[in-house]
Amino acid sequence: MTLPGDEVDELVRLRRQLHRHPELRFTERQTAATLERLLGPLGRIRTGIADTGVVLEIDGGAPGPTVLLRADMDAYPVQDSKQEPYASRNPGVCHACGHDVHMTVAYGVAARLAADPPARGAVTVLFQPAEEIPFGADSGAAAVLADEAFRDRRFDAVLGLHCWPDLPAGAVGIDRATAMAAKDAFRVEVLGRAAHAATPALGRDAILGLTAMVSTLHAAVSRSRNPDELVAFNIGTIAGGASQSQVAERAEATGTLRTHDPVVRERLKEVIERVARQQAAALDLGVRFTWANEMPPVRNAPEVVALAHAELSGHVDVVDLPVPPLTTDDFALLGALGPSLYVKLGVTGERGGAPLHSGAFDVDERCLATGVAALERLTRAVLDGRLAAEAPAPVAGAGTAATPAEAVAR
């Protein structure tokens, strides 16, 4: 399926505009204003969803199935290192996870649906704030679900897509069941006793305790999982101490655990907390341990997976993804609104590309037309009633078998 050249040019312009002006979670006001201006002629819009989100409603000619399309809006707190005219103009902020692409694709689908309205049904296009979640912060998807605009609503299908550097531009990947992992974020605070560096015996060194704890936790998680259990464990921040001449009174670290299996998830959470407490006690240190941002996995509904293979094969390059990644996304929460599918959009060109959350991340912009074509076709298939009530048995060899490279932990 090919988009006309003028539509592609418009998509490229919009993507670059959004990329130049990224905004962090719950501050996406310029982004929302840009979307409001573009979406106004397409249907009914509501702004202020979960504070900075935008919703567009497009009705068909008669009652029928309903579809929710979701695109996240926020950027990532990293410096843009690209030397491109469309590089970020906001210091320390960059669309390093492709949300500019997600919004552009959602707009492209909405524009095509408005230009050729479906015969029946209705489409809700959600531009969601705050998908990136620092430790202890709120999820944008959770805020959307609490907003009166989505209270007590259900959809026949909930669709979204995510940039995927493991796939080439022109391809879309479909995970068989799990599209993203569960995430459990943690913070461990080590509590010691301050003393002069010249008299360390009078103190209890929180930094020493924390550094020992980091190595011990990595080893404990590694030896508490089996080789066939997909797990990612990361400690991403460490802070502590007040002076080079003082035995540190306090130090803290934050990290995440990513899993697919709920049994493995609970086993490793128990291991992490127990080992942290034991390591602190061994060095006569106090400890405070906190879990936060506990996010369920993104599950693709089997009937929507089957529909995607049936409708997209032969129109775009569909790649069957048998090994689920260990990235996470609060799209998982939107699965409460209806059967969902999270498509992986190939974005890598012939020269390769940087990973997600890198300041060098960029896309081959041919992916924009592919994303629009795929989501529009899926949306119209649902509106036409082609979403089966029950998933058919999996077809061996559906799509192109491919195992994605180990994904970058989000």
Side-chain angles (χ1 to χ4, degrees):
M1 185 175 180
T2 303
L3 269 63
D6 57 342
E7 287 188 38
V8 173
D9 291 343
E10 181 187 16
L11 295 175
V12 170
R13 286 194 298 271
L14 174 57
R15 183 259 163 172
R16 294 184 179 186
Q17 178 183 356
L18 294 170
H19 199 89
R20 282 190 204 99
H21 304 287
E23 296 172 293
L24 295 176
R25 47 180 282 112
F26 289 128
T27 67
E28 309 95 333
R29 303 195 186 282
Q30 182 177 353
T31 303
T34 297
L35 293 170
E36 183 179 0
R37 174 177 55 82
L38 290 170
L39 299 173
L42 305 183
R44 303 187 313 280
I45 61 171
R46 291 185 63 176
T47 59
I49 305 298
D51 192 14
T52 52
V54 180
V55 164
L56 170 71
E57 304 277 3
I58 300 174
D59 295 328
T66 56
V67 176
L68 173 65
L69 295 179
R70 177 268 206 169
D72 32 16
M73 301 167 65
D74 56 325
Y76 194 71
V78 65
Q79 180 66 35
D80 194 335
S81 61
K82 297 186 296 298
Q83 302 299 314
E84 298 287 351
Y86 53 82
S88 171
R89 296 179 182 175
N90 294 343
V93 184
C94 176
H95 272 299
C97 210
H99 297 186
D100 54 333
V101 172
H102 305 170
M103 289 184 283
T104 301
V105 168
Y107 163 73
V109 175
R112 292 181 67 84
L113 290 171
D116 182 15
R120 63 192 185 114
V123 178
T124 300
V125 187
L126 164 65
F127 295 87
Q128 176 210 301
E131 185 277 327
E132 305 290 355
I133 310 172
F135 181 85
D138 294 329
S139 153
V144 165
L145 292 175
D147 192 287
E148 64 176 2
F150 283 88
R151 203 164 295 153
D152 300 322
R153 293 190 69 178
R154 289 282 298 175
F155 298 87
D156 291 282
V158 178
L159 306 177
L161 89 178
H162 199 291
C163 290
W164 212 243
D166 294 337
L167 295 174
V172 295
I174 306 295
D175 294 280
R176 296 177 181 179
T178 302
M180 294 276 187
K183 178 185 80 169
D184 295 281
F186 63 88
R187 179 176 63 207
V188 57
E189 300 172 86
V190 179
L191 309 174
R193 185 167 66 237
H196 195 288
T199 56
L202 299 178
R204 292 292 181 269
D205 193 339
I207 287 179
L208 177 63
L210 182 58
T211 55
M213 188 181 295
V214 168
S215 298
T216 303
L217 284 172
H218 275 285
V221 171
S222 175
R223 300 306 291 171
S224 299
R225 59 173 290 269
N226 294 315
D228 61 338
E229 294 170 345
L230 291 172
V231 171
F233 174 75
N234 185 61
I235 293 176
T237 71
I238 291 180
S243 167
Q244 80 281 0
S245 297
Q246 182 192 62
V247 173
E249 185 174 29
R250 181 184 176 279
E252 74 165 44
T254 63
T256 63
L257 172 70
R258 317 297 181 95
T259 56
H260 291 148
D261 187 303
V263 174
V264 175
R265 181 184 188 183
E266 292 307 314
R267 181 209 310 154
L268 293 181
K269 287 179 67 177
E270 189 277 329
V271 167
I272 291 166
E273 186 167 352
R274 172 171 49 82
V275 168
R277 296 186 184 282
Q278 289 174 342
Q279 183 69 45
L283 295 174
D284 194 21
L285 295 162
V287 66
R288 286 197 292 256
F289 197 97
T290 307
W291 291 102
N293 309 130
E294 294 165 289
M295 189 64 59
V298 176
R299 303 290 193 194
N300 285 343
E303 64 270 30
V304 195
V305 170
L307 181 72
H309 281 290
E311 291 295 326
L312 300 184
S313 297
H315 298 276
V316 297
D317 182 13
V318 180
V319 180
D320 174 42
L321 301 177
V323 180
L326 287 160
T327 50
T328 66
D329 197 294
D330 68 358
F331 182 83
L333 301 180
L334 300 180
L337 299 177
S340 62
L341 178 71
Y342 209 31
V343 175
K344 306 295 176 54
L345 178 65
V347 298
T348 300
E350 295 177 356
R351 294 181 296 173
L356 297 170
H357 286 195
S358 161
F361 176 75
D362 204 354
V363 303
D364 182 328
E365 290 173 326
R366 291 178 297 176
C367 71
L368 299 171
T370 301
V372 171
L375 283 191
E376 183 196 3
R377 190 168 185 86
L378 277 174
T379 299
R380 291 190 185 276
V382 175
L383 298 177
D384 288 344
R386 296 200 291 275
L387 181 60
E390 297 183 7
V395 178
T400 304
T403 302
E406 184 177 2
V408 179
R410 296 190 65 210

